[in-house]
Coordinates of all heavy atoms in Angstrom, one line a residue:
A190 N 42.3 33.9 -86.6 CA 43.6 34.4 -86.2 C 43.5 35.8 -85.7 O 44.3 36.2 -84.7 CB 44.6 34.3 -87.4
T191 N 42.6 36.6 -86.2 CA 42.4 38.0 -85.8 C 41.0 38.1 -85.3 O 40.0 37.7 -86.0 CB 42.7 39.0 -86.8 OG1 44.0 38.9 -87.2 CG2 42.4 40.4 -86.4
L192 N 40.8 38.7 -84.1 CA 39.5 38.8 -83.5 C 39.0 40.2 -83.7 O 39.7 41.1 -83.2 CB 39.5 38.4 -82.0 CG 39.8 37.0 -81.7 CD1 40.0 36.8 -80.2 CD2 38.7 36.0 -82.1
A193 N 37.9 40.4 -84.3 CA 37.3 41.7 -84.5 C 36.7 42.2 -83.1 O 36.4 41.4 -82.3 CB 36.3 41.8 -85.6
P194 N 36.4 43.5 -83.0 CA 35.8 43.9 -81.8 C 34.5 43.2 -81.4 O 33.6 43.0 -82.3 CB 35.5 45.4 -82.0 CG 36.5 45.8 -83.0 CD 36.7 44.6 -83.9
G195 N 34.3 42.6 -80.3 CA 33.2 41.9 -79.8 C 33.1 40.5 -80.4 O 32.2 39.7 -80.0
Q196 N 34.1 40.0 -81.1 CA 34.1 38.7 -81.7 C 34.6 37.6 -80.7 O 35.5 37.8 -80.0 CB 34.9 38.7 -83.0 CG 34.8 37.4 -83.7 CD 35.6 37.4 -85.1 OE1 36.3 38.3 -85.4 NE2 35.2 36.4 -86.0
E197 N 33.9 36.5 -80.8 CA 34.3 35.3 -80.0 C 35.1 34.3 -80.9 O 35.0 34.3 -82.1 CB 33.1 34.6 -79.4 CG 32.3 35.4 -78.4 CD 31.1 34.6 -77.9 OE1 30.2 34.5 -78.6 OE2 31.2 34.2 -76.7
G198 N 36.0 33.6 -80.3 CA 36.7 32.6 -81.0 C 37.3 31.5 -80.1 O 36.8 31.4 -78.9
I199 N 38.3 30.7 -80.5 CA 38.9 29.7 -79.7 C 40.4 29.8 -79.8 O 40.9 30.2 -80.8 CB 38.4 28.3 -80.0 CG1 38.7 27.9 -81.5 CG2 36.9 28.1 -79.7 CD1 38.4 26.5 -81.9
I200 N 41.1 29.3 -78.8 CA 42.5 28.9 -78.9 C 42.5 27.4 -78.9 O 42.0 26.8 -78.0 CB 43.3 29.4 -77.6 CG1 43.4 31.0 -77.7 CG2 44.7 28.8 -77.7 CD1 44.1 31.5 -76.5
Q201 N 43.0 26.9 -80.1 CA 43.0 25.5 -80.3 C 44.4 24.9 -80.1 O 45.4 25.4 -80.6 CB 42.5 25.1 -81.7 CG 42.4 23.6 -81.9 CD 41.9 23.3 -83.3 OE1 42.7 23.3 -84.2 NE2 40.6 23.0 -83.5
V202 N 44.5 23.8 -79.4 CA 45.8 23.2 -79.0 C 45.7 21.7 -79.6 O 44.7 21.0 -79.3 CB 46.1 23.1 -77.6 CG1 47.3 22.3 -77.2 CG2 46.3 24.6 -77.0
V203 N 46.7 21.3 -80.4 CA 46.9 20.0 -80.8 C 48.1 19.4 -80.2 O 49.2 19.9 -80.4 CB 47.0 19.9 -82.4 CG1 47.1 18.5 -82.8 CG2 45.8 20.6 -83.1
Y204 N 48.0 18.4 -79.4 CA 49.0 17.8 -78.6 C 49.4 16.4 -79.1 O 48.6 15.5 -79.2 CB 48.5 17.6 -77.1 CG 49.5 17.4 -76.1 CD1 50.0 18.4 -75.3 CD2 50.0 16.1 -75.8 CE1 51.0 18.2 -74.4 CE2 51.0 15.9 -74.9 CZ 51.5 16.9 -74.1 OH 52.4 16.7 -73.2
D205 N 50.7 16.3 -79.5 CA 51.2 15.0 -80.0 C 52.1 14.3 -79.0 O 53.2 14.7 -78.6 CB 52.2 15.4 -81.2 CG 52.6 14.2 -82.0 OD1 52.8 13.1 -81.4 OD2 52.7 14.2 -83.3
A206 N 51.5 13.2 -78.5 CA 52.2 12.5 -77.4 C 53.4 11.9 -77.8 O 54.4 11.8 -77.0 CB 51.2 11.4 -76.8
D207 N 53.6 11.4 -79.0 CA 54.8 10.8 -79.4 C 56.0 11.8 -79.5 O 57.1 11.5 -79.0 CB 54.7 10.2 -80.8 CG 54.0 8.9 -80.8 OD1 53.8 8.3 -79.7 OD2 53.6 8.3 -81.9
K208 N 55.7 13.0 -79.9 CA 56.7 14.1 -79.9 C 57.1 14.5 -78.5 O 58.2 14.9 -78.3 CB 56.2 15.2 -80.7 CG 56.2 15.0 -82.3 CD 55.8 16.2 -83.1 CE 55.9 16.0 -84.6 NZ 55.5 17.2 -85.3
K209 N 56.2 14.4 -77.6 CA 56.5 14.8 -76.3 C 57.5 13.8 -75.7 O 58.4 14.2 -74.9 CB 55.2 14.8 -75.3 CG 55.4 15.1 -73.9 CD 56.0 16.5 -73.7 CE 56.1 16.8 -72.2 NZ 56.7 18.2 -72.0
N210 N 57.4 12.5 -76.0 CA 58.3 11.5 -75.6 C 58.5 11.5 -74.1 O 59.7 11.6 -73.6 CB 59.7 11.7 -76.3 CG 60.6 10.5 -76.1 OD1 60.1 9.4 -76.0 ND2 61.9 10.7 -76.2
D211 N 57.4 11.4 -73.4 CA 57.4 11.4 -71.9 C 56.3 10.5 -71.4 O 55.4 10.1 -72.2 CB 57.4 12.8 -71.4 CG 58.0 12.9 -70.0 OD1 58.2 12.0 -69.3 OD2 58.2 14.1 -69.6
W212 N 56.2 10.4 -70.1 CA 55.2 9.5 -69.5 C 54.7 10.2 -68.2 O 55.4 11.0 -67.6 CB 55.7 8.1 -69.2 CG 56.2 7.3 -70.4 CD1 57.4 7.3 -70.9 CD2 55.4 6.6 -71.2 NE1 57.5 6.5 -72.0 CE2 56.2 6.0 -72.2 CE3 54.0 6.2 -71.2 CZ2 55.8 5.2 -73.2 CZ3 53.6 5.3 -72.2 CH2 54.4 4.9 -73.2
G213 N 53.4 9.8 -67.9 CA 52.8 10.4 -66.7 C 52.3 11.8 -66.8 O 52.0 12.2 -68.0
Y214 N 52.2 12.5 -65.7 CA 51.7 13.8 -65.7 C 52.8 14.8 -66.1 O 53.9 14.9 -65.6 CB 51.2 14.2 -64.3 CG 50.7 15.6 -64.2 CD1 49.4 15.9 -64.5 CD2 51.5 16.7 -63.7 CE1 48.8 17.2 -64.5 CE2 50.9 17.9 -63.6 CZ 49.6 18.2 -64.0 OH 49.1 19.5 -63.9
V215 N 52.5 15.6 -67.2 CA 53.4 16.6 -67.7 C 52.8 17.9 -68.0 O 51.5 18.0 -68.1 CB 54.0 16.1 -69.1 CG1 55.0 14.9 -68.9 CG2 52.9 15.7 -70.1
S216 N 53.5 19.0 -67.9 CA 53.0 20.3 -68.0 C 53.9 21.1 -68.9 O 55.1 21.0 -68.9 CB 52.9 20.9 -66.6 OG 52.4 22.3 -66.6
D217 N 53.2 22.0 -69.7 CA 53.9 23.0 -70.5 C 53.3 24.4 -70.3 O 52.1 24.5 -70.1 CB 53.8 22.6 -72.0 CG 54.6 21.3 -72.4 OD1 55.8 21.3 -72.4 OD2 53.9 20.3 -72.5
Q218 N 54.2 25.4 -70.5 CA 53.7 26.8 -70.4 C 54.0 27.5 -71.7 O 55.1 27.5 -72.1 CB 54.3 27.5 -69.2 CG 53.9 26.8 -67.9 CD 54.5 27.5 -66.6 OE1 55.5 28.2 -66.7 NE2 53.8 27.3 -65.5
I219 N 53.0 28.2 -72.2 CA 53.1 29.0 -73.4 C 52.7 30.4 -73.1 O 51.7 30.6 -72.4 CB 52.2 28.3 -74.5 CG1 52.8 27.0 -74.9 CG2 52.2 29.2 -75.7 CD1 51.9 26.2 -75.8
Y220 N 53.3 31.4 -73.7 CA 53.0 32.8 -73.5 C 52.3 33.3 -74.7 O 52.6 33.1 -75.8 CB 54.3 33.6 -73.2 CG 55.0 33.2 -71.9 CD1 55.9 32.2 -71.8 CD2 54.5 33.8 -70.7 CE1 56.5 31.9 -70.6 CE2 55.1 33.5 -69.5 CZ 56.1 32.5 -69.5 OH 56.7 32.1 -68.3
V221 N 51.3 34.2 -74.4 CA 50.5 34.8 -75.4 C 51.0 36.3 -75.4 O 51.0 37.0 -74.4 CB 49.0 34.8 -75.1 CG1 48.1 35.4 -76.2 CG2 48.5 33.3 -74.8
I222 N 51.3 36.8 -76.6 CA 51.8 38.1 -76.8 C 50.9 38.9 -77.8 O 50.2 38.2 -78.6 CB 53.3 38.2 -77.2 CG1 53.4 37.6 -78.6 CG2 54.1 37.5 -76.3 CD1 54.8 37.8 -79.2
F223 N 50.9 40.2 -77.6 CA 50.1 41.1 -78.5 C 51.1 42.2 -79.0 O 51.8 42.8 -78.2 CB 48.9 41.7 -77.8 CG 48.0 40.6 -77.1 CD1 48.1 40.2 -75.8 CD2 47.0 40.1 -77.9 CE1 47.3 39.3 -75.3 CE2 46.2 39.1 -77.4 CZ 46.3 38.7 -76.0
D224 N 51.1 42.4 -80.3 CA 51.9 43.4 -80.9 C 53.4 43.2 -80.5 O 54.1 44.2 -80.3 CB 51.5 44.8 -80.5 CG 50.1 45.1 -80.9 OD1 49.7 44.7 -82.1 OD2 49.3 45.7 -80.2
G225 N 53.8 42.0 -80.4 CA 55.2 41.7 -80.1 C 55.6 41.9 -78.6 O 56.8 41.7 -78.3
V226 N 54.7 42.3 -77.8 CA 55.1 42.7 -76.4 C 54.7 41.4 -75.5 O 53.6 40.9 -75.5 CB 54.3 43.9 -75.9 CG1 54.6 44.2 -74.4 CG2 54.6 45.1 -76.8
R227 N 55.8 41.0 -74.8 CA 55.6 39.8 -73.9 C 55.2 40.3 -72.5 O 55.8 41.2 -71.9 CB 56.9 39.0 -73.8 CG 56.8 37.8 -72.8 CD 58.1 37.0 -73.0 NE 58.1 35.9 -72.0 CZ 58.9 34.8 -72.1 NH1 59.7 34.7 -73.2 NH2 58.9 33.9 -71.3
S228 N 54.2 39.6 -71.9 CA 53.8 39.8 -70.5 C 53.8 38.4 -69.8 O 53.2 37.5 -70.3 CB 52.4 40.5 -70.4 OG 52.0 40.5 -69.1
Y229 N 54.6 38.3 -68.7 CA 54.6 37.0 -68.0 C 53.3 36.6 -67.4 O 53.1 35.4 -67.0 CB 55.7 37.1 -66.9 CG 57.1 37.1 -67.5 CD1 57.8 38.2 -67.7 CD2 57.7 35.9 -67.8 CE1 59.1 38.2 -68.2 CE2 59.0 35.9 -68.4 CZ 59.7 37.0 -68.6 OH 61.0 37.0 -69.1
S230 N 52.4 37.6 -67.3 CA 51.1 37.2 -66.7 C 50.2 36.5 -67.8 O 49.2 35.9 -67.4 CB 50.4 38.4 -66.1 OG 50.2 39.4 -67.1
N231 N 50.5 36.7 -69.0 CA 49.7 36.1 -70.1 C 50.3 34.7 -70.4 O 50.8 34.5 -71.5 CB 49.7 37.0 -71.4 CG 49.1 38.4 -71.1 OD1 48.5 38.6 -70.1 ND2 49.4 39.3 -72.0
R232 N 50.0 33.8 -69.5 CA 50.7 32.5 -69.6 C 49.6 31.4 -69.6 O 48.7 31.4 -68.7 CB 51.6 32.3 -68.4 CG 52.3 31.0 -68.4 CD 53.3 30.9 -67.2 NE 52.6 31.1 -66.0 CZ 53.2 31.3 -64.8 NH1 54.5 31.5 -64.7 NH2 52.4 31.4 -63.7
L233 N 49.6 30.5 -70.6 CA 48.8 29.4 -70.7 C 49.5 28.1 -70.2 O 50.7 28.0 -70.5 CB 48.4 29.1 -72.1 CG 47.5 30.1 -72.8 CD1 47.3 29.7 -74.3 CD2 46.1 30.2 -72.2
T234 N 48.8 27.4 -69.3 CA 49.4 26.1 -68.8 C 48.6 24.9 -69.4 O 47.4 24.9 -69.3 CB 49.3 26.1 -67.2 OG1 50.0 27.2 -66.7 CG2 49.9 24.7 -66.7
I235 N 49.3 24.1 -70.0 CA 48.7 22.9 -70.7 C 49.3 21.6 -70.1 O 50.5 21.4 -70.0 CB 49.0 22.9 -72.2 CG1 48.5 24.3 -72.9 CG2 48.4 21.7 -73.0 CD1 49.0 24.5 -74.3
T236 N 48.4 20.8 -69.6 CA 48.8 19.6 -68.9 C 48.2 18.4 -69.6 O 47.2 18.4 -70.3 CB 48.4 19.6 -67.5 OG1 47.0 19.6 -67.4 CG2 49.0 20.7 -66.7
A237 N 48.9 17.2 -69.4 CA 48.4 15.9 -70.0 C 49.0 14.8 -69.1 O 50.0 15.0 -68.4 CB 48.9 15.8 -71.4
T238 N 48.3 13.7 -69.1 CA 48.8 12.5 -68.5 C 49.0 11.5 -69.6 O 48.0 11.0 -70.2 CB 47.8 11.9 -67.4 OG1 47.7 12.9 -66.4 CG2 48.4 10.7 -66.8
I239 N 50.2 11.2 -70.0 CA 50.6 10.3 -71.1 C 50.7 8.9 -70.5 O 51.5 8.6 -69.6 CB 51.8 10.7 -71.8 CG1 51.7 12.2 -72.3 CG2 52.2 9.8 -72.9 CD1 52.9 12.7 -72.9
Q240 N 49.9 8.0 -71.0 CA 49.8 6.6 -70.6 C 49.4 5.7 -71.6 O 48.8 6.1 -72.6 CB 48.9 6.4 -69.3 CG 47.5 6.8 -69.6 CD 46.6 6.6 -68.4 OE1 46.9 7.2 -67.4 NE2 45.6 5.8 -68.4
E241 N 49.8 4.5 -71.5 CA 49.4 3.4 -72.6 C 47.9 3.1 -72.5 O 47.3 3.1 -71.4 CB 50.2 2.2 -72.4 CG 51.7 2.4 -72.6 CD 52.5 1.1 -72.5 OE1 52.4 0.2 -73.3 OE2 53.3 1.0 -71.5
D242 N 47.3 2.7 -73.6 CA 45.9 2.4 -73.7 C 45.9 0.8 -73.6 O 45.9 0.1 -74.5 CB 45.3 2.8 -75.0 CG 43.8 2.5 -75.0 OD1 43.3 2.1 -74.0 OD2 43.3 2.8 -76.1
F243 N 45.8 0.4 -72.3 CA 45.7 -1.1 -72.1 C 44.3 -1.7 -72.4 O 44.2 -2.9 -72.4 CB 46.1 -1.4 -70.6 CG 47.5 -1.0 -70.3 CD1 47.8 0.1 -69.4 CD2 48.6 -1.8 -70.8 CE1 49.1 0.4 -69.1 CE2 49.9 -1.4 -70.5 CZ 50.2 -0.4 -69.7
S244 N 43.4 -0.8 -72.6 CA 42.0 -1.4 -72.9 C 42.0 -2.1 -74.2 O 41.0 -2.9 -74.5 CB 41.0 -0.2 -72.9 OG 41.3 0.7 -74.0
R245 N 42.9 -1.9 -75.1 CA 43.0 -2.6 -76.4 C 43.6 -4.0 -76.3 O 43.6 -4.7 -77.3 CB 43.7 -1.8 -77.3 CG 43.1 -0.4 -77.6 CD 43.9 0.5 -78.6 NE 43.4 1.8 -78.8 CZ 43.9 2.7 -79.6 NH1 45.0 2.5 -80.3 NH2 43.3 3.9 -79.7
L246 N 44.1 -4.4 -75.2 CA 44.8 -5.7 -75.0 C 43.8 -6.8 -75.1 O 42.7 -6.7 -74.5 CB 45.6 -5.7 -73.8 CG 46.8 -4.8 -73.6 CD1 47.5 -5.0 -72.3 CD2 47.8 -4.9 -74.8
S247 N 44.1 -7.9 -75.7 CA 43.3 -9.1 -75.7 C 43.5 -9.8 -74.4 O 44.4 -9.6 -73.7 CB 43.6 -10.0 -76.9 OG 44.9 -10.5 -76.7
K248 N 42.6 -10.8 -74.1 CA 42.7 -11.6 -72.9 C 44.1 -12.3 -72.9 O 44.7 -12.3 -71.8 CB 41.6 -12.6 -72.8 CG 41.6 -13.4 -71.6 CD 40.5 -14.4 -71.5 CE 40.6 -15.3 -70.3 NZ 39.4 -16.3 -70.3
E249 N 44.5 -12.8 -74.0 CA 45.8 -13.5 -74.1 C 47.0 -12.6 -73.8 O 47.9 -12.9 -73.1 CB 45.9 -14.2 -75.4 CG 47.2 -15.0 -75.6 CD 47.4 -15.6 -77.0 OE1 46.4 -15.5 -77.8 OE2 48.4 -16.3 -77.2
E250 N 46.9 -11.4 -74.4 CA 47.9 -10.4 -74.2 C 48.0 -10.0 -72.7 O 49.2 -9.8 -72.2 CB 47.7 -9.2 -75.0 CG 47.9 -9.4 -76.5 CD 47.5 -8.2 -77.4 OE1 46.5 -7.6 -77.0 OE2 48.2 -8.0 -78.4
K251 N 46.9 -9.9 -72.0 CA 46.9 -9.5 -70.6 C 47.5 -10.6 -69.8 O 48.3 -10.4 -68.8 CB 45.5 -9.2 -70.1 CG 44.9 -7.9 -70.6 CD 43.5 -7.7 -70.1 CE 43.0 -6.3 -70.6 NZ 41.6 -6.1 -70.1
E252 N 47.2 -11.9 -70.2 CA 47.7 -13.0 -69.4 C 49.3 -13.1 -69.5 O 50.0 -13.6 -68.7 CB 47.1 -14.3 -69.9 CG 45.7 -14.4 -69.5 CD 45.0 -15.7 -70.1 OE1 45.6 -16.3 -70.9 OE2 43.8 -16.0 -69.6
N253 N 49.8 -12.7 -70.7 CA 51.2 -12.8 -71.0 C 52.0 -11.5 -70.7 O 53.1 -11.4 -71.0 CB 51.4 -13.1 -72.5 CG 51.0 -14.5 -72.8 OD1 51.1 -15.5 -72.0 ND2 50.4 -14.7 -74.0
A254 N 51.2 -10.5 -70.1 CA 51.8 -9.2 -69.8 C 52.9 -9.3 -68.7 O 52.9 -10.2 -67.9 CB 50.7 -8.2 -69.5
P255 N 53.7 -8.3 -68.6 CA 54.7 -8.2 -67.5 C 53.9 -7.9 -66.2 O 52.8 -7.3 -66.2 CB 55.6 -7.1 -67.9 CG 54.8 -6.2 -68.8 CD 54.0 -7.2 -69.6
K256 N 54.5 -8.3 -65.0 CA 53.8 -8.1 -63.8 C 54.9 -7.5 -62.8 O 55.9 -8.1 -62.5 CB 53.2 -9.3 -63.2 CG 52.0 -9.8 -64.0 CD 51.3 -10.9 -63.3 CE 50.1 -11.5 -64.1 NZ 49.1 -10.4 -64.3
L257 N 54.5 -6.3 -62.3 CA 55.4 -5.6 -61.4 C 55.2 -5.9 -59.9 O 54.0 -6.0 -59.5 CB 55.2 -4.1 -61.6 CG 55.9 -3.1 -60.6 CD1 57.4 -3.1 -60.8 CD2 55.3 -1.7 -60.8
E258 N 56.3 -6.3 -59.3 CA 56.2 -6.6 -57.8 C 57.3 -5.8 -57.1 O 58.4 -5.7 -57.5 CB 56.3 -8.1 -57.5 CG 55.2 -9.0 -58.2 CD 53.8 -8.7 -57.6 OE1 53.8 -8.2 -56.4 OE2 52.8 -9.1 -58.2
F259 N 56.9 -5.3 -55.9 CA 57.8 -4.5 -55.1 C 57.9 -5.4 -53.7 O 57.0 -6.0 -53.3 CB 57.4 -3.2 -54.7 CG 57.6 -2.2 -55.8 CD1 56.7 -1.8 -56.7 CD2 58.9 -1.5 -55.9 CE1 56.9 -0.9 -57.7 CE2 59.2 -0.7 -56.9 CZ 58.1 -0.3 -57.8
D260 N 59.2 -5.3 -53.1 CA 59.3 -6.0 -51.8 C 58.5 -5.2 -50.8 O 58.0 -5.7 -49.8 CB 60.8 -6.0 -51.4 CG 61.4 -4.7 -51.3 OD1 61.0 -3.8 -52.0 OD2 62.4 -4.6 -50.5
N261 N 58.4 -3.8 -51.0 CA 57.7 -2.9 -50.1 C 57.4 -1.6 -50.8 O 58.3 -1.2 -51.7 CB 58.5 -2.7 -48.8 CG 57.6 -2.3 -47.7 OD1 56.7 -1.5 -47.8 ND2 57.9 -2.9 -46.5
Q262 N 56.3 -1.0 -50.6 CA 56.1 0.3 -51.3 C 56.2 1.5 -50.4 O 55.8 2.6 -50.8 CB 54.7 0.2 -51.9 CG 54.6 -0.7 -53.1 CD 53.3 -0.7 -53.8 OE1 52.7 -1.8 -54.1 NE2 52.6 0.4 -53.9
S263 N 56.8 1.3 -49.2 CA 57.0 2.4 -48.3 C 58.2 2.2 -47.4 O 58.5 1.0 -47.2 CB 55.7 2.7 -47.4 OG 55.5 1.6 -46.6
H264 N 58.8 3.3 -47.0 CA 60.0 3.1 -46.1 C 60.0 4.3 -45.2 O 59.9 5.5 -45.7 CB 61.3 3.0 -46.9 CG 62.5 2.9 -46.0 ND1 62.8 1.8 -45.3 CD2 63.4 3.8 -45.6 CE1 63.9 2.0 -44.6 NE2 64.3 3.2 -44.8
D265 N 60.2 4.1 -43.9 CA 60.3 5.2 -42.9 C 61.6 5.1 -42.2 O 62.0 4.1 -41.6 CB 59.2 5.0 -41.9 CG 59.1 6.3 -41.0 OD1 60.1 7.0 -40.8 OD2 57.9 6.5 -40.4
W266 N 62.4 6.2 -42.3 CA 63.7 6.3 -41.7 C 63.7 6.6 -40.2 O 64.7 6.6 -39.6 CB 64.6 7.3 -42.4 CG 65.1 6.9 -43.8 CD1 66.1 5.9 -44.0 CD2 64.8 7.4 -45.0 NE1 66.3 5.8 -45.3 CE2 65.6 6.7 -46.0 CE3 63.9 8.4 -45.4 CZ2 65.4 7.0 -47.3 CZ3 63.8 8.7 -46.8 CH2 64.6 8.0 -47.7
G267 N 62.5 6.9 -39.7 CA 62.4 7.2 -38.3 C 62.8 8.6 -38.1 O 62.8 9.5 -38.9
V268 N 63.5 8.9 -36.9 CA 64.0 10.2 -36.6 C 65.4 10.3 -37.1 O 66.2 9.5 -36.9 CB 64.0 10.4 -35.0 CG1 64.5 11.8 -34.7 CG2 62.6 10.2 -34.5
I269 N 65.7 11.4 -37.8 CA 66.9 11.6 -38.5 C 67.5 13.0 -38.2 O 66.7 13.9 -37.8 CB 66.9 11.4 -40.0 CG1 66.1 12.5 -40.7 CG2 66.4 10.0 -40.4 CD1 66.2 12.5 -42.2
N270 N 68.8 13.1 -38.3 CA 69.5 14.4 -38.1 C 69.3 15.2 -39.4 O 69.5 14.7 -40.5 CB 70.9 14.2 -37.8 CG 71.6 15.5 -37.4 OD1 71.8 16.4 -38.1 ND2 72.0 15.5 -36.1
P271 N 69.0 16.6 -39.3 CA 68.9 17.4 -40.6 C 70.1 17.5 -41.5 O 70.0 18.0 -42.6 CB 68.4 18.7 -40.0 CG 68.9 18.8 -38.6 CD 68.8 17.3 -38.1
T272 N 71.2 17.0 -40.9 CA 72.5 17.1 -41.7 C 72.9 15.7 -42.4 O 73.8 15.7 -43.2 CB 73.7 17.5 -40.9 OG1 73.8 16.6 -39.8 CG2 73.4 18.9 -40.3
D273 N 72.1 14.7 -42.1 CA 72.3 13.4 -42.6 C 71.5 13.0 -43.7 O 70.3 12.8 -43.6 CB 72.2 12.3 -41.4 CG 73.2 12.5 -40.3 OD1 74.3 13.1 -40.6 OD2 73.0 12.1 -39.2
K274 N 72.1 12.8 -44.9 CA 71.3 12.3 -46.1 C 70.9 10.8 -45.8 O 71.7 10.1 -45.3 CB 72.1 12.5 -47.4 CG 72.4 13.9 -47.8 CD 73.2 14.0 -49.1 CE 73.4 15.4 -49.5 NZ 74.2 15.5 -50.7
Q275 N 69.7 10.5 -46.4 CA 69.3 9.1 -46.2 C 69.1 8.5 -47.6 O 68.9 9.1 -48.6 CB 67.9 9.1 -45.5 CG 67.9 9.8 -44.2 CD 68.7 9.1 -43.1 OE1 68.7 7.9 -43.0 NE2 69.6 9.9 -42.3
S276 N 69.2 7.1 -47.6 CA 69.0 6.4 -48.8 C 68.3 5.0 -48.5 O 68.3 4.5 -47.4 CB 70.4 6.1 -49.4 OG 71.2 5.2 -48.7
H277 N 67.6 4.5 -49.6 CA 66.9 3.3 -49.4 C 66.8 2.7 -50.8 O 66.7 3.4 -51.8 CB 65.6 3.4 -48.8 CG 64.8 2.2 -48.7 ND1 65.1 1.2 -47.8 CD2 63.7 1.7 -49.5 CE1 64.2 0.2 -48.0 NE2 63.4 0.5 -49.0
D278 N 66.9 1.3 -50.9 CA 66.7 0.6 -52.2 C 65.4 -0.1 -52.1 O 65.2 -1.0 -51.3 CB 67.8 -0.3 -52.4 CG 69.1 0.3 -52.8 OD1 69.1 1.4 -53.3 OD2 70.2 -0.2 -52.5
F279 N 64.5 0.2 -53.0 CA 63.2 -0.6 -53.2 C 63.6 -1.7 -54.3 O 64.1 -1.4 -55.3 CB 62.1 0.3 -53.8 CG 61.5 1.3 -52.8 CD1 62.0 2.6 -52.8 CD2 60.6 0.9 -51.9 CE1 61.4 3.5 -51.8 CE2 60.1 1.8 -51.0 CZ 60.5 3.1 -50.9
I280 N 63.2 -2.9 -54.0 CA 63.5 -4.0 -54.9 C 62.2 -4.2 -55.8 O 61.1 -4.3 -55.3 CB 63.8 -5.3 -54.0 CG1 65.0 -5.1 -53.2 CG2 64.0 -6.5 -55.0 CD1 65.3 -6.3 -52.3
V281 N 62.6 -4.3 -57.1 CA 61.5 -4.4 -58.1 C 61.7 -5.8 -58.8 O 62.9 -6.2 -59.1 CB 61.6 -3.3 -59.2 CG1 60.5 -3.4 -60.1 CG2 61.8 -2.0 -58.5
K282 N 60.6 -6.5 -59.0 CA 60.8 -7.8 -59.7 C 59.7 -7.9 -60.8 O 58.5 -7.5 -60.6 CB 60.6 -9.0 -58.7 CG 60.9 -10.4 -59.3 CD 61.0 -11.4 -58.2 CE 61.3 -12.8 -58.8 NZ 61.4 -13.8 -57.7

Side-chain angles (χ1 to χ4, degrees):
T191 298
L192 297 170
Q196 186 175 14
E197 295 179 289
I199 61 169
I200 292 177
Q201 185 181 80
V202 170
V203 182
Y204 194 98
D205 189 327
D207 281 350
K208 287 185 179 179
K209 178 64 175 176
N210 192 28
D211 204 342
W212 297 93
Y214 180 83
V215 289
S216 176
D217 294 283
Q218 294 182 341
I219 295 173
Y220 292 92
V221 185
I222 64 173
F223 304 94
D224 300 323
V226 179
R227 175 172 178 166
S228 171
Y229 285 98
S230 61
N231 297 346
R232 181 178 60 195
L233 293 176
T234 300
I235 301 167
T236 64
T238 300
I239 302 175
Q240 62 182 56
E241 294 180 72
D242 185 5
F243 296 109
S244 65
R245 299 179 181 179
L246 296 180
S247 66
K248 181 180 179 181
E249 183 180 359
E250 287 173 325
K251 289 182 179 179
E252 290 175 349
N253 293 322
K256 291 190 181 299
L257 171 68
E258 296 294 341
F259 281 98
D260 63 330
N261 207 315
Q262 289 183 223
S263 64
H264 180 75
D265 191 336
W266 284 292
V268 179
I269 67 171
N270 190 291
T272 60
D273 295 337
K274 293 182 180 180
Q275 304 294 317
S276 65
H277 177 74
D278 287 335
F279 289 97
I280 299 175
V281 189
K282 187 174 183 179

